[in-house]
Amino acid sequence: DVGAYFAIVTNIAGSATSSNAFLTIAEPPTNGDFFVSPSGNDSNPGTIDLPFATIPKAISVANAGNIIYVRGGAHAYSSTIRFTNSGTAGAMIQLLAYPGEHPEIDFSTQPYGSSNRGFLFPTNGSYWHIKGLEIHNAGVVVADGADSDWRAVPQRLACRVVSRVHCLALSR
């Protein structure tokens, strides 16, 4: 609707109210190759109307250049999600939050142990772009020394740098 809008932004430092805000309403994306939703089913074809239930199912069918949208809500996992297929330098596989939604990937039921990770990118899992997922309670490897190929993004996500993975954690 036409009218005046304002936005309130809040974080740990406090809040601020804008004097002007612009609202853009767009059609939902249909360019995704696969969709994942907490209310989905892995027997579905992974479309926007019939999404998969799990990220591992979407990973298993994704190919270079594909986009996987993860719908908002709680996505609970008790085991490591392994990225075992690859995109290419010119056609990364993208794992993205569905625009305007906040998927929360929760590994709180994953047993604690050195072999447990939230996301794991083995050497055959390269050229991924991950953006907008909020990841909780995932095991993280932080190795010391010059030969370390793991980096932690402040307790949100671990990325294996040598696997050419772009990881962008959602900040609130």
Side-chain angles (χ1 to χ4, degrees):
D1 290 336
V2 175
Y5 293 91
F6 65 93
I8 300 173
V9 178
T10 304
N11 66 19
I12 60 172
S15 66
T17 303
S18 69
S19 58
N20 294 313
F22 299 95
L23 177 64
T24 302
I25 300 174
E27 292 293 319
T30 57
N31 65 331
D33 295 291
F34 301 106
F35 295 82
V36 176
S37 171
S39 62
N41 185 312
D42 281 348
S43 297
N44 287 343
T47 63
I48 192 166
D49 294 322
L50 294 169
F52 295 134
T54 66
I55 293 171
K57 174 61 178 179
I59 289 170
S60 74
V61 297
N63 293 307
N66 283 162
I67 298 172
I68 302 167
Y69 280 115
V70 183
R71 302 299 305 257
H75 298 257
Y77 293 94
S78 60
S79 60
T80 300
I81 296 176
R82 299 177 189 284
F83 291 73
T84 55
N85 49 356
S86 294
T88 65
M92 296 182 93
I93 302 172
Q94 297 180 67
L95 181 65
L96 309 174
Y98 187 84
E101 296 185 8
H102 302 286
E104 296 182 10
I105 315 303
D106 185 5
F107 290 94
S108 62
T109 59
Q110 184 179 56
Y112 181 80
S114 62
S115 63
N116 293 331
R117 310 283 176 265
F119 285 176
L120 178 63
F121 298 90
T123 55
N124 59 331
S126 299
Y127 295 106
W128 281 83
H129 178 82
I130 299 171
K131 184 177 179 183
L133 307 180
E134 190 164 329
I135 300 170
H136 299 276
N137 306 304
V140 176
V141 172
V142 179
D144 293 325
D147 61 345
S148 171
D149 60 0
W150 288 91
R151 302 290 182 267
V153 178
Q155 307 217 357
R156 298 263 183 148
L157 182 62
C159 303
R160 193 163 193 213
V161 176
V162 295
S163 293
R164 298 177 189 93
V165 176
H166 294 176
C167 296
L168 303 171
L170 176 66
S171 298
R172 284 194 189 179

